[in-house]
Amino acid sequence: MSQNIPRTEVFAALQSLSETIPEMRVGQLVAAVGELCNDLHGRGLWDAADTELLEAVWQFHCNFEGGAVAPDSQESEPTDERERRLTSVAGR
């Protein structure tokens, strides 16, 4: 089930993401990561393996730092469907 990824690693990645985006509530972060996990692997939070979830957290973090996810900004125009979904979920 965990595919050799300790839960502590997944929780540490979520903690780091939370510290990077403090304006997002925990539920918002988890929902946004779940949406991205579904986009990446075709499995949402309930069915995703820990490795898939960890990858989604990492990817969300990278996207945010790269400017692809803008929680408080409606001014940027997302260029693809995944970015539109991420911006929509992050802006809630």
Side-chain angles (χ1 to χ4, degrees), residues 5-22 26 29-30 33 49-62 64-65:
I5 299 291
R7 284 183 174 189
T8 55
E9 195 172 337
V10 175
F11 289 128
L14 284 168
Q15 176 67 33
S16 175
L17 181 60
S18 176
E19 291 169 0
T20 301
I21 316 172
V26 173
L29 284 174
V30 172
V33 168
D50 291 347
T51 53
E52 295 168 336
L53 187 57
L54 184 61
E55 180 185 354
V57 172
W58 176 83
Q59 186 65 53
F60 191 91
H61 202 152
C62 289
F64 179 81
E65 288 180 339

Side-chain angles (χ1 to χ4, degrees), residues 72-90:
D72 289 335
S73 173
Q74 298 293 345
E75 47 195 71
S76 62
E77 288 280 327
T79 57
D80 66 12
E81 181 61 25
R82 189 169 92 202
E83 284 186 28
R84 278 193 290 280
R85 290 178 73 188
L86 286 173
T87 302
S88 171
V89 169

Side-chain angles (χ1 to χ4, degrees), residues 23-35:
E23 62 273 11
M24 287 184 74
R25 296 185 313 272
V26 173
Q28 291 173 318
L29 284 174
V30 172
V33 168
E35 287 288 323

